[in-house]
Amino acid sequence: MSELTTARLSVYLRCLESLDASGVNTVSSQGLATQFQLNAAQIRKDLAHFGEFGIRGVGYYVKDLKRHLRQILGLDRSIKVVIIGAGNLGVALADYAGFRLDGFDVVALLDTAREKVGQYSRSGVPIRHARELERLVEREKIDIAVVTVPPDAAQETVDGVVAAGIRAILNFSPVSPRVPPHVKLKNMDLTITFESLSFFLANGHVDP
Amino acid sequence: MSELTTARLSVYLRCLESLDASGVNTVSSQGLATQFQLNAAQIRKDLAHFGEFGIRGVGYYVKDLKRHLRQILGLDRSIKVVIIGAGNLGVALADYAGFRLDGFDVVALLDTAREKVGQYSRSGVPIRHARELERLVEREKIDIAVVTVPPDAAQETVDGVVAAGIRAILNFSPVSPRVPPHVKLKNMDLTITFESLSFFLANGHVDP
DNA sequence: CTCTGTGAACCACTTCACAGCA
DNA sequence: TGCTGTGAAGTGGTTCACAGAG
């Protein structure tokens, strides 16, 4: 299943939540498409991969489809997250309000700096020593590790995360660590993102 | 020019910087490909869009190609960045060390909260009132706006940024604001990213 | 008659394979 | 000979267009 498809499922879920909040009961793929600037055929095709959720001549029941999407995305339970690297970015992510709402539970921040261990983030996430990772994973059934350590520590951190049995990693450091095939690694490389924008500024405006 | 191509140019630049730091003078597309797990033909094709930088039978001069890529990516000058929304994430980004190294200069954080305005981030980025945006853009020739405001303020913030004349926006809020066609908007949606990982955990391990 | 689910056509990006230059 | 630059082939993802269910 394509990355792009699953990202769109998230978008659809968000659209449906908005419609549901407005009291809308049913929506057609065409309705979704025009309201949220999507492609109707693509919506139908994306959804059809997972079952027949629509009713011909009617569309989709908003609440029904919402529930299906939540389940497909694995959001029908709390997802436990640990953040490794209690620097600016790590702590900011731990305190990011959006997560809690969407069922993501940041269990701990991990770091090796003596003066950070034992502290709490503003929103109350405890900072613990990185060596506790294995124990934490075992006891708390961690689902996702977020890596916000300096680039030269990224690969060893990721290795530790994999060894601890975590199968999904979100990496913010500007390197692409190696992971075994059963582990899903997603890189959020801010430098690449900024350089893309810079490229557009340098070249984008010239084209006819 | 494809998004994917420009992202790869950033990757190539990083690889070349690493080679240069190791004292390597020339490298072939094959050399780059095997060392950094890329595709040799793709490297050649990506580069060939912008000129003939290689020498047949030899490869590419590392320092030369580095300079060319910097120029193509628009990194041969300082890029001025303003961050709108001095919350956890905005301040963390302002203090992110990686930027300064790569020629990105965070000129200011903007916010509307009276108690934040006048303060400084840990690394010394001043927090100013959001209404100063237009003046700041005019005086400082801002290139990129980073939007880290709450979702319901995202569209109006982006509208203001566009009105101020900024043509490249990096948006972290979980909505996709509308922008006119001459403006480049890049969304970094953490919720979608986490939900993709959740999807993988829920479905990835089953496939044969 | 409306709207879904889906094969077929289309398009974009990637990889292959080779002509030709150093 | 070794490697680039590039047309041709291949791959995967998107859009079209319609048969058929409700």
Side-chain angles (χ1 to χ4, degrees):
Chain A
M1 181 60 36
S2 150
E3 284 282 295
L4 298 163
T5 308
T6 77
R8 283 195 300 268
L9 296 180
S10 290
V11 173
Y12 302 156
L13 177 55
R14 200 176 284 164
C15 296
L16 290 165
E17 262 153 9
S18 149
L19 290 174
D20 194 27
S22 310
V24 177
N25 283 318
T26 68
V27 66
S28 67
S29 60
Q30 188 54 58
L32 275 170
T34 51
Q35 189 165 357
F36 300 99
Q37 294 128 221
L38 306 165
N39 179 295
Q42 187 160 65
I43 295 172
R44 293 199 299 276
K45 196 153 260 193
D46 287 342
L47 297 176
H49 281 138
F50 299 96
E52 305 211 349
F53 304 129
I55 295 120
R56 290 156 197 249
V58 179
Y60 302 87
Y61 284 110
V62 172
K63 279 185 195 299
D64 250 36
L65 188 52
K66 229 178 69 174
R67 194 173 50 249
H68 279 300
L69 282 175
R70 286 209 120 82
Q71 200 231 307
I72 291 165
L73 288 167
L75 301 174
D76 48 355
R77 63 180 186 98
S78 167
I79 311 284
K80 304 237 182 185
V81 176
V82 67
I83 299 177
I84 307 176
N88 293 316
L89 188 57
V91 175
L93 289 172
D95 288 344
Y96 180 56
F99 291 158
R100 209 141 317 229
L101 299 172
D102 285 296
F104 293 96
D105 179 18
V106 180
V107 172
L109 281 152
L110 299 185
D111 209 298
T112 53
R114 183 180 287 280
E115 70 274 17
K116 289 181 182 170
V117 174
Q119 306 284 100
Y120 289 81
S121 83
R122 213 170 308 180
S123 73
V125 177
I127 304 181
R128 306 182 41 188
H129 197 283
R131 78 169 78 86
E132 291 192 45
L133 176 64
E134 298 241 3
R135 213 176 316 161
L136 200 66
V137 171
E138 203 176 318
R139 203 171 50 222
E140 297 265 22
K141 297 266 173 278
I142 303 292
D143 298 292
I144 299 176
V146 178
V147 175
T148 58
V149 302
D152 44 318
Q155 182 66 60
E156 59 182 318
T157 300
V158 165
D159 291 346
V161 165
V162 170
I166 289 178
R167 294 204 337 276
I169 303 171
L170 176 57
N171 169 46
F172 280 87
S173 65
V175 295
S176 184
R178 300 286 284 149
V179 291
H182 70 280
V183 175
K184 180 79 175 177
L185 171 70
K186 217 159 160 55
N187 292 310
M188 292 229 101
D189 194 313
L190 291 173
T191 303
I192 290 179
T193 307
F194 273 90
E195 290 184 359
S196 279
L197 289 174
S198 172
F199 174 88
F200 171 81
L201 291 172
N203 304 273
H205 59 298
V206 202
D207 53 20
Chain B
M1 182 60 37
S2 149
E3 285 281 296
L4 298 163
T5 308
T6 78
R8 281 194 301 269
L9 295 180
S10 290
V11 173
Y12 302 156
L13 177 56
R14 199 177 285 164
C15 296
L16 290 164
E17 263 153 8
S18 149
L19 290 173
D20 194 29
S22 311
V24 177
N25 284 317
T26 67
V27 67
S28 67
S29 59
Q30 188 54 60
L32 274 171
T34 51
Q35 190 166 355
F36 299 99
Q37 293 129 223
L38 305 166
N39 179 294
Q42 186 160 65
I43 295 172
R44 294 199 298 277
K45 195 152 262 194
D46 287 342
L47 297 176
H49 280 137
F50 299 96
E52 304 211 349
F53 304 129
I55 295 120
R56 287 155 199 254
V58 179
Y60 302 86
Y61 284 111
V62 172
K63 278 185 195 299
D64 251 35
L65 187 53
K66 228 178 70 173
R67 196 174 50 249
H68 279 298
L69 282 175
R70 286 208 120 82
Q71 201 231 306
I72 292 165
L73 288 167
L75 301 174
D76 48 356
R77 62 180 186 98
S78 167
I79 311 284
K80 305 237 182 185
V81 176
V82 67
I83 299 177
I84 307 177
N88 293 315
L89 187 57
V91 176
L93 290 172
D95 289 343
Y96 179 57
F99 292 157
R100 210 142 317 229
L101 299 172
D102 285 295
F104 292 96
D105 179 17
V106 180
V107 171
L109 281 152
L110 300 185
D111 208 299
T112 52
R114 183 180 285 280
E115 70 276 14
K116 288 181 181 171
V117 174
Q119 306 283 103
Y120 290 81
S121 83
R122 213 170 308 181
S123 72
V125 177
I127 304 181
R128 306 182 43 188
H129 196 282
R131 77 169 80 86
E132 292 191 44
L133 175 64
E134 298 240 3
R135 213 176 317 164
L136 200 68
V137 171
E138 203 177 317
R139 201 170 52 222
E140 297 265 22
K141 298 266 173 279
I142 302 293
D143 298 293
I144 298 175
V146 178
V147 175
T148 58
V149 301
D152 44 319
Q155 182 66 60
E156 58 182 321
T157 300
V158 166
D159 291 345
V161 165
V162 171
I166 290 179
R167 294 203 339 274
I169 303 171
L170 177 56
N171 169 45
F172 281 86
S173 66
V175 294
S176 185
R178 299 286 283 150
V179 292
H182 69 281
V183 175
K184 180 78 174 177
L185 171 70
K186 219 161 158 52
N187 293 309
M188 292 229 101
D189 194 315
L190 292 173
T191 304
I192 290 179
T193 307
F194 273 90
E195 290 183 0
S196 279
L197 288 173
S198 173
F199 174 88
F200 172 81
L201 291 173
N203 304 273
H205 59 296
V206 201
D207 53 18

